[in-house]
Amino acid sequence: MNGKKSVQEAFNETTYRIVGHGDRDVQVLKEAFEAVENSTPSDIYGSGKVIEDFQSEMAKLLGKETAVFFPSGTMAQQIALRIWCDEKGLKSVAYHPLCHLEIHEQDGLKELHHIEPVLLADKNRLITLDDVLQMKDDIACLLLELPQREIGGQLPEYQELEAISAHCRARGIKLHLDGARLLETLPYYGKTAAEICALFDSVYISLYKGIGGIAGAILAGGEEFTKQSKIWKRRHGGDLISLYPYIISSDYYYQQRVDKMQQYYEGAKELAALVNQCHAVTTLPAEPVSNMFHMHFQMSRESIEPILSSAYEATGIGLSAAIRPTGEHSSYCEISIGDKYADIPKEEVKGFLLLLDKLMRESSSEQRPK
């Protein structure tokens, strides 16, 4: 049984989507602005009540002195690392081999700021205290990502974080948190955002990933750090005359979803347990530690896509349209649970996965040498 449509086409026509909060269309912006007074003034070049109130709210959430709204996390994080390098007079930082700055930013840190990274740990595992202790290079800052997206959203144990933080402070190494999905980790750690951020000198969070805003990021830290970040924000062209469409939508969806992180986490664990019953499918991690995980297929992308397309067409449920190869006979997709998962009747989800299991078994049988 092979889908006649591409996996993208079949996914686009499904009734239910397992991942995310819904379509990223203009309705997302319109909903956020429905209750906003017409007379609400915009921010102007980083000043004004609408931006300053939100920055104060985010600083309090993260337990930092101050916070700054940035149009993108890419800009915010490069600036954070530049500030720490300038402070120490050392153009070297350390992070994971699959860090966003290393694989998704066209070498922006190197080309724009002339900062050289030290890559810690094997790409398939988390950075540990031992990796930091064995580092021979002098660095100004260590960046840790929570959760580590490119390896399934894995998280270190909290005691490991505390040990790394203590070591960095003893050695005068700044510790920066790539917390794009920080709020999604709170149910697993059983900590507040402020408690986790207390281990770090600076922190970035995304306002469109788990929160589901239009775009934007927050960079938080001490007063002198954020003062410098505003100067670099202007230098980077990030001080748009007004950012209020992003700020208002970020605030609106933050209020809508900040208390749903436990729900998303429980949904991810529930779904992963069902997925792991499918033939030739496993999740990474085996049990999720946040609202996200990777779903690995013991089949090539070319083999799994028509199977998924068939299952989408037959059940009206979409899992993912983006299947990525990991080898000649293996592939994966990323699952991130948001509002939409709760809308799907659980019997429908189970029916979809039973069909996927059946199709996977049939395909494996057909490919087995006779």
Side-chain angles (χ1 to χ4, degrees), residues 45-65:
Y45 292 122
S47 298
K49 181 176 174 56
V50 69
I51 188 169
E52 291 167 9
D53 284 357
F54 186 63
Q55 288 174 163
S56 295
E57 182 179 18
M58 293 295 101
K60 183 177 180 181
L61 169 75
L62 302 172
K64 297 299 182 187
E65 287 183 347

Side-chain angles (χ1 to χ4, degrees), residues 196-210:
I196 295 173
C197 292
L199 302 176
F200 295 83
D201 297 288
S202 56
V203 55
Y204 140 72
I205 63 169
S206 170
L207 296 169
Y208 73 87
K209 291 174 181 172

Side-chain angles (χ1 to χ4, degrees), residues 91-334:
K91 293 282 194 174
S92 183
V93 299
Y95 50 58
H96 192 274
L98 298 181
C99 173
H100 194 280
L101 289 96
E102 185 68 14
I103 66 174
H104 290 306
E105 298 181 14
Q106 301 295 315
D107 287 335
L109 190 67
K110 303 168 192 174
E111 297 295 330
L112 296 177
H113 297 283
H114 310 293
I115 294 172
E116 289 300 320
V118 174
L119 305 183
L120 291 186
D122 180 86
K123 68 178 183 178
N124 295 314
R125 66 169 177 82
L126 295 165
I127 291 173
T128 66
L129 175 62
D130 284 344
D131 294 315
V132 181
L133 292 174
Q134 293 171 21
M135 185 170 49
K136 295 181 174 60
D137 305 85
D138 288 330
I139 60 169
C141 180
L142 169 64
L143 179 152
L144 296 180
E145 180 184 356
L146 304 179
Q148 193 78 48
R149 177 191 179 185
E150 299 292 340
I151 53 174
Q154 296 183 55
L155 286 170
E157 291 304 313
Y158 196 72
Q159 292 79 4
E160 187 87 2
L161 280 180
E162 290 179 311
I164 292 173
S165 176
H167 172 76
C168 287
R169 286 182 175 160
R171 293 287 303 276
I173 298 169
K174 296 298 183 180
L175 190 59
H176 172 75
L177 172 57
D178 177 343
R181 297 166 176 80
L182 173 65
L183 301 186
E184 293 94 305
T185 72
L186 304 186
Y188 175 75
Y189 280 135
K191 304 286 184 180
T192 65
E195 286 173 324
I196 295 173
C197 292
L199 302 176
F200 295 83
D201 297 288
S202 56
V203 55
Y204 140 72
I205 63 169
S206 170
L207 296 169
Y208 73 87
K209 291 174 181 172
I211 290 172
I214 304 299
I218 283 290
L219 183 63
E223 190 171 343
E224 181 59 30
F225 170 83
T226 52
K227 179 181 176 182
Q228 289 296 316
S229 78
K230 289 180 180 180
I231 295 172
W232 277 107
K233 180 183 174 186
R234 175 63 62 90
R235 289 169 175 165
H236 270 251
D239 249 345
L240 281 63
I241 184 170
S242 294
L243 289 163
Y244 68 92
Y246 307 115
I247 297 163
I248 289 173
S249 64
S250 294
D251 192 18
Y252 175 80
Y253 288 109
Y254 167 73
Q255 301 297 340
Q256 293 286 310
R257 293 174 175 139
V258 65
D259 294 327
K260 290 185 176 180
M261 297 302 163
Q262 183 75 40
Q263 171 191 315
Y264 303 153
Y265 174 47
E266 296 299 334
K269 290 193 291 182
E270 176 185 83
L271 180 61
L274 295 171
V275 163
N276 281 313
Q277 296 175 33
C278 290
H279 176 73
V281 184
T282 55
T283 67
L284 181 69
E287 181 175 294
V289 291
S290 71
N291 71 320
M292 72 167 294
F293 59 88
H294 285 180
M295 186 170 170
H296 286 262
F297 306 98
Q298 295 171 31
M299 286 185 182
S300 67
R301 181 172 65 181
E302 293 72 22
S303 296
I304 193 60
E305 284 189 343
I307 292 175
L308 288 173
S309 179
S310 292
Y312 296 171
E313 289 183 67
T315 64
I317 290 181
L319 181 68
S320 174
I323 310 301
R324 302 171 183 137
T326 55
E328 187 178 354
H329 303 293
S330 59
S331 55
Y332 83 100
C333 66
E334 182 176 291

